[in-house]
Amino acid sequence: MTTDQAKEKGKALILPLAVLLAFEAWARATHLQSDSLAPPSEIILALAGAFADFSILTATRDTLFSAFAGLAIGTVIGLALGIAFGISDTLNRLMEVTVEAIRPIPSIALLPIALIALGFGYRMEIVIVAFACVWPILILSRAAVRSIEPRLMEVSRALRLPAAQRVWKIIIPAALPRIFVAFRLSAGIALIVAVTVEIAINPLGLGAGIMLAQQALRPDLMLAYLVWIGVIGYALNILLVVAQHRLFGRAALSGDSA
Amino acid sequence: MNRHATIWLWRAASFAVAASFIALWQLIANLKLVSPVFLPGPDRAWASLVRGFSNGDLWSKLAGTLEHMAYGWLAASIAGIAIGAIIGSSRIMRTYVAPSLEFLRPLPVSAIIPVAIAMLGLTQAMALFVIAFGAIWPIMLATIHGFAAVEPRLYEVARSLQMSRLAVIFKVALPSASPDILAGMRLSLTVALILSVVCEILAGLDGLGHWVLLSARAFRSADLFAGVILLGVTGYVTSVAMSMAEHRLLAWQASQR
């Protein structure tokens, strides 16, 4: 890192630090008594407490388990459909109306259906996350397959590869960088949907934890959960961006605008 | 066969495929392969839609959801463009403020709901705050990005014409950033719909979200599916309307390229 970059980073930190300090000072000066706000020092203590009794770790595990299980299912389905639609224009055109009719349903609207069909718990959350993840993966992998260099497809035809091998040896490797971008976007969506389902109704994970803290009138704990959910979201994003650069380097950038 | 006819033929075929899926759904429901408690046939869902609209129930729920969505989204659009313009048009703000906003972006916005409930209670105001807060991010960040990406020569022209900062924003930066801003507004529309449903579920506000939850609790699956279908239609229609508006508003740019 050059000194200039370090300086930029330093400047970026000034505002959040100033806000936190000002808030802390204000809360102490006025002896803040509130159901919705707590000074940063108490938030940190509450976070430490939630770590000490493992409650926040259990909640994190539950949320991430649901999010990743849904993401995995959604990715498999979305990828299978996306590749099929990308290879066969006929299939794509025939399915267009069906896809466009189902896709705009907000994932969270499925919540009551999942609730009566599956009850509370992991399963309903995973189903909703999977539904939400299918569409971005489908759309982006379809576009990725279509943009494969036509000469690669010609080679596979010349080699007379059977369909399964054509997908496995030519299409997936060629489209992988852009598929990974889709996966990265979907991972963010998966976390958001999982937390939202938990906040709305499912008594599980981080979303339920933050709702419980609110109902228990523990603003420090509630904000501690909020901070922690933010940290998880941020860490997941960074992790996947780094993975993308490591695995694919510049190749992935071409699909980033999609 | 000319191209136009081919396109319509494909369209028709595609509708036929969708219709056969609905027929399959009807078949599954008729044969009770899935318990009718969870899965009503399309006939029952349709009957529930017709009944709901003829006695006015669904109209008022639909209006409630659209109202939450529209107010929250409009507030987010105005505030998002204004704040985005202020931050985007100033180098100082871009260095000091924009990184904090980028840092907050991956936060699942629904996590703000408990905080909003603690501050505002289970009220309409809470719903509007949450929807606006969730919908503001894509618009604000798109505006900042759009302002930062304005062709520098345009700024130079503005400077040589001695335009004021406000004039630069309205006459140069906003028009040139409008594709980004509109794309952000389109993303926000989806966010606004989802958060409207979540807030209605949580706070029991009048709207489709509350309707589908109540129907689920009472195991009225036909009403439940009617509500979900209506939410899908809402998502579809709003996004089509947004694309049309985008097309209209950006027509002048397309002609310039």
Side-chain angles (χ1 to χ4, degrees):
Chain A
M1 197 189 291
T2 65
T3 48
D4 264 7
Q5 271 175 324
K7 243 187 210 167
E8 288 287 303
K9 290 229 160 148
K11 281 179 181 170
L13 283 175
I14 292 176
L15 178 77
L17 286 178
V19 168
L20 286 179
L21 283 176
F23 189 55
E24 180 79 39
W26 174 76
R28 296 216 166 181
T30 57
H31 297 288
L32 178 73
Q33 287 288 333
S34 162
D35 291 343
S36 53
L37 292 174
S41 54
E42 282 181 24
I43 297 174
I44 293 172
L45 284 180
L47 192 59
F51 270 110
D53 66 8
F54 294 107
S55 57
I56 208 167
L57 291 174
T58 325
T60 309
R61 184 200 64 199
D62 288 347
T63 297
L64 289 182
F65 172 74
S66 308
F68 288 148
L71 176 65
I73 296 171
T75 303
V76 169
I77 297 175
L79 204 55
L81 292 176
I83 290 176
F85 292 178
I87 295 173
S88 159
D89 198 39
T90 316
L91 188 62
N92 184 40
R93 287 182 177 203
L94 286 177
M95 291 297 291
E96 193 187 347
V97 171
T98 311
V99 168
E100 290 308 311
I102 302 177
R103 190 163 73 102
I105 297 178
S107 50
I108 217 70
L110 294 184
L111 199 149
I113 298 181
L115 183 65
I116 56 171
L118 302 167
F120 294 108
Y122 293 111
R123 282 193 304 166
M124 63 99 100
E125 195 171 322
I126 290 170
V127 166
I128 297 170
V129 172
F131 177 85
C133 291
V134 163
W135 308 109
I137 301 254
L138 189 163
I139 306 283
L140 291 177
S141 62
R142 181 176 66 187
V145 170
R146 278 192 189 152
S147 68
I148 291 176
E149 169 72 45
R151 262 173 292 178
L152 278 178
M153 303 301 266
E154 278 167 29
V155 168
S156 76
R157 255 188 299 265
L159 291 173
R160 304 197 184 188
L161 288 178
Q165 286 206 17
R166 198 175 344 152
V167 169
W168 194 242
K169 292 197 167 150
I170 307 272
I171 293 174
I172 289 190
L176 200 56
R178 295 185 64 184
I179 290 174
F180 192 83
V181 173
F183 179 76
R184 203 190 83 205
L185 290 176
S186 293
I189 293 173
L191 182 65
I192 292 174
V193 172
V195 170
T196 308
V197 169
E198 288 161 4
I199 284 178
I201 212 151
N202 207 14
L204 193 79
L206 292 168
I210 191 170
M211 283 307 274
L212 268 179
Q214 186 265 318
Q215 282 151 12
L217 302 181
R218 288 274 315 272
D220 52 340
L221 186 60
M222 172 179 80
L223 294 171
Y225 265 100
L226 182 67
V227 170
W228 181 242
I229 291 172
V231 168
I232 302 259
Y234 192 74
L236 185 64
N237 188 38
I238 293 276
L239 201 71
L240 288 168
V241 169
V242 169
Q244 182 185 331
H245 283 281
R246 275 284 165 79
L247 291 173
F248 305 112
R250 296 182 61 82
L253 293 177
S254 58
D256 225 349
S257 56
Chain B
M1 199 159 32
N2 63 29
R3 251 192 66 208
H4 233 71
T6 328
I7 289 175
W8 280 108
L9 214 62
W10 277 114
R11 220 351 94 81
S14 187
F15 269 103
V17 170
S20 56
F21 274 113
I22 295 178
L24 183 69
W25 170 17
Q26 182 76 62
L27 193 69
I28 291 173
N30 285 351
L31 295 175
K32 298 206 164 64
L33 293 178
V34 179
S35 161
V37 178
F38 313 138
L39 188 80
D43 53 344
R44 278 174 59 208
W46 179 252
S48 168
L49 267 177
V50 172
R51 186 163 14 95
F53 274 115
S54 57
N55 67 18
D57 270 4
L58 276 179
W59 277 121
S60 71
K61 305 292 172 199
L62 179 63
T65 298
L66 286 178
E67 196 184 305
H68 296 146
M69 199 180 154
Y71 283 146
W73 181 70
L74 282 177
S77 301
I78 295 167
I81 294 173
I83 301 174
I86 293 170
I87 298 174
S89 64
S90 140
R91 178 177 291 279
I92 298 175
M93 295 282 257
R94 279 216 300 270
T95 350
Y96 287 94
V97 182
S100 305
L101 299 179
E102 287 290 343
F103 178 77
L104 286 175
R105 196 228 295 258
L107 175 78
V109 283
S110 49
I112 204 73
I113 292 177
V115 181
I117 292 178
M119 286 182 182
L120 301 164
L122 294 170
T123 58
Q124 199 90 3
M126 181 280 291
L128 287 185
F129 172 77
V130 168
I131 297 163
F133 181 87
I136 201 173
W137 294 99
I139 302 175
M140 187 166 66
L141 294 171
T143 311
I144 296 175
H145 175 250
F147 268 58
V150 172
E151 164 76 50
R153 263 175 294 176
L154 286 178
Y155 279 140
E156 282 165 27
V157 171
R159 214 174 306 136
S160 64
L161 290 173
Q162 299 191 314
M163 287 163 82
S164 69
R165 187 163 164 206
L166 264 187
V168 174
I169 289 180
F170 278 102
K171 293 191 174 149
V172 179
L174 269 183
S176 125
S178 53
D180 286 308
I181 297 174
L182 287 167
M185 286 169 78
R186 181 220 284 274
L187 271 181
S188 293
L189 212 50
T190 320
V191 177
L193 177 59
I194 290 176
L195 288 175
S196 301
V197 173
V198 175
C199 288
E200 284 160 12
I201 286 178
L202 273 171
L205 301 172
D206 214 24
L208 288 171
H210 192 221
W211 163 272
V212 289
L213 185 71
L214 284 186
S215 307
R217 289 243 167 97
F219 288 97
R220 285 177 309 180
S221 58
D223 290 351
L224 169 56
F225 271 68
V228 172
I229 290 169
L230 212 49
L231 280 169
V233 172
T234 308
Y236 182 71
V237 170
T238 47
S239 105
V240 167
M242 188 68 211
S243 315
M244 281 164 69
E246 243 178 295
H247 208 73
R248 265 284 166 84
L249 290 169
L250 298 180
W252 61 276
Q253 278 206 333
S255 64
Q256 274 189 341
R257 272 178 207 138

